[in-house]
Amino acid sequence: MRKLLALTAIACAACGDPTEDRAVEALGGEAPGVAPGPLHRPGQPCVTCHGESGVASGEFSVAGTVYFLLREDNPAPNVQVRIKDITGDEVTTTTNEAGNFYVRTDEWRPVFPLQPSIRLGGLKKQMSTHIARAPSCADCHTSPPGPRSPGHIYIATSRAELTDAGVGP
Amino acid sequence: MTARLLAIGCAAIVGVWLSAACSEAASDVRIGIVSPNASEEAFGPVADFLNHRCGSLDCHGKVGRNLQIWGCEGMRLSPTDASICSRAKGGRRTTPEEHAATYRSLVGLEPVIMSSIVENGGENPELLSFVRKARGTEAHKGGALVVPGDAQDACITTWLAGQTNLKACSDAFAQPKFPPSPSP
């Protein structure tokens, strides 16, 4: 009986979700010099690993990375990220040095669709569409912009806009 | 005995050959359907609404979906376009070609049922899985998005009936409606 239980446990452990496994594998390894943590993997779809059945510790309900400009890769720290769900429930968080932000599921479990907005100093941007179901911003917001992406999330459309607002790299 | 078996075998082979010959169809044969209006005037506003409501990149704005919706709020047809509508941000509004691609995907889902509904002046639109899923009466990952009789529903069903309600399609853009924030 014990042997049977042990075999069952091993079999269950071996049965991962191949789609999820491939998605995790496609993300590649950590960047040199950046340890796993809040600053790692900016611009990647966080919830691929930080999901309900993900391989990382910590489950996120929404997560992403904000940059200063649409076509440049300077991460934007200290951006206030405000996300509202369809019931009107809201959460606010702030991006870290890597431009990353995340909301843990034990803090907030939104009802999709979601309407996010970001603010830095006098600059404010609201997503022109809505998030229908993807908890990782980078599921859609990849760089550069193309036929399957609006580009990454950005706080300003030009350097002049950043300068006028007194913010920026 | 051997001759009898041989005769049965031959008969079987001839039978198979005959039935194959009878069922062979030319590669360019098409089934005919009664399709809803595909014009820009009739379907363009419906396609734009569908792109707004259902065609985000995380839903039907994906090539892996059975129902594929194309447009500037989701996936683009041209490799040189981005998923951006605003010209100021380097985008381009949804094109007639994208409307046509959405039309082909939608009408091709259940062509026989679609034909029947169009032939009957748009009666019983809920026979289409597409309508049932939008209304949430059939399993749909996105849940119930439209309510029978609301502007969104009317945009779709009036198009199926051959008289697209343009105001309904325009009003449908107000969805999804998020409650106002308590503070700025």
Side-chain angles (χ1 to χ4, degrees):
Chain A
M1 187 61 179
R2 273 188 191 170
K3 277 184 182 172
L4 184 64
L5 282 173
L7 279 173
T8 308
I10 290 166
C12 287
C15 293
D17 177 341
T19 306
E20 195 175 296
D21 292 346
R22 275 198 295 272
V24 170
E25 200 178 312
L27 297 177
E30 298 288 343
V34 184
L39 302 180
H40 82 147
R41 299 178 180 270
Q44 292 198 349
C46 317
V47 184
T48 302
C49 298
H50 290 277
E52 193 177 355
S53 57
V55 295
S57 61
E59 186 185 340
F60 301 163
S61 51
V62 192
T65 308
V66 182
Y67 295 83
F68 278 111
L69 291 163
L70 173 59
R71 292 169 205 276
E72 292 185 18
D73 286 335
N74 291 316
N78 302 315
V79 175
Q80 186 191 74
V81 180
R82 188 173 188 168
I83 308 167
K84 182 194 288 186
D85 77 4
I86 194 64
T87 70
D89 198 17
E90 293 186 4
V91 71
T92 302
T93 185
T94 305
T95 59
N96 61 25
E97 296 160 52
N100 290 343
F101 70 90
Y102 50 91
V103 180
R104 293 179 185 278
T105 49
D106 53 13
E107 297 169 318
W108 195 52
R109 282 190 184 270
V111 179
F112 285 78
L114 311 180
Q115 184 183 56
S117 60
I118 53 177
R119 183 188 290 246
L120 179 65
L123 293 174
K124 187 182 176 193
K125 294 278 185 290
Q126 182 171 301
M127 186 166 160
S128 57
T129 58
H130 56 270
I131 302 171
R133 59 195 272 194
S136 293
C137 301
D139 280 343
C140 305
H141 287 277
T142 56
S143 193
R148 303 289 181 272
S149 171
H152 56 214
I153 305 169
Y154 57 93
I155 189 69
T157 48
S158 67
R159 286 200 169 275
E161 199 179 353
L162 288 175
T163 307
D164 290 347
V167 295
Chain B
M1 186 65 179
T2 309
R4 195 174 166 201
L5 281 175
L6 194 64
I8 292 170
C10 285
I13 290 167
V14 169
V16 168
W17 178 78
L18 278 176
S19 62
C22 290
S23 63
E24 192 174 314
S27 60
D28 61 349
V29 164
R30 297 288 183 269
I31 61 162
I33 68 160
V34 182
S35 53
N37 195 331
S39 72
E40 265 296 287
E41 294 71 28
F43 185 67
V46 182
D48 284 337
F49 157 63
L50 292 176
N51 182 220
H52 172 72
R53 190 69 167 111
C54 320
S56 58
L57 289 161
D58 54 349
C59 279
H60 289 279
K62 277 182 187 286
V63 287
R65 302 275 178 222
N66 289 328
L67 171 59
Q68 297 168 6
I69 297 173
W70 303 80
C72 67
E73 292 195 53
M75 66 175 170
R76 306 307 305 258
L77 207 52
S78 165
T80 57
D81 278 331
S83 307
I84 302 171
C85 297
S86 161
R87 283 185 67 183
K89 294 175 184 170
R92 180 161 77 124
R93 293 197 63 76
T94 302
T95 65
E97 291 75 23
E98 287 169 327
H99 289 160
T102 300
Y103 177 90
R104 283 194 298 274
S105 175
L106 177 54
V107 172
L109 285 172
E110 293 172 312
V112 176
I113 298 171
M114 180 70 90
S115 281
S116 157
I117 290 167
V118 173
E119 267 184 324
N120 291 312
E123 275 186 32
N124 304 317
E126 70 281 358
L127 291 174
L128 287 167
S129 302
F130 153 68
V131 171
R132 290 197 305 276
K133 282 176 177 285
R135 290 177 176 178
T137 53
E138 181 169 321
H140 182 216
K141 179 80 176 175
L145 302 180
V146 314
V147 177
D150 76 359
Q152 305 174 96
D153 195 67
C155 177
I156 296 164
T157 55
T158 57
W159 166 65
L160 291 170
Q163 293 181 319
T164 308
N165 182 334
L166 300 179
K167 183 174 184 315
C169 292
S170 172
D171 291 347
F173 266 82
Q175 299 294 337
K177 193 176 280 178
F178 292 88
S181 295
S183 56

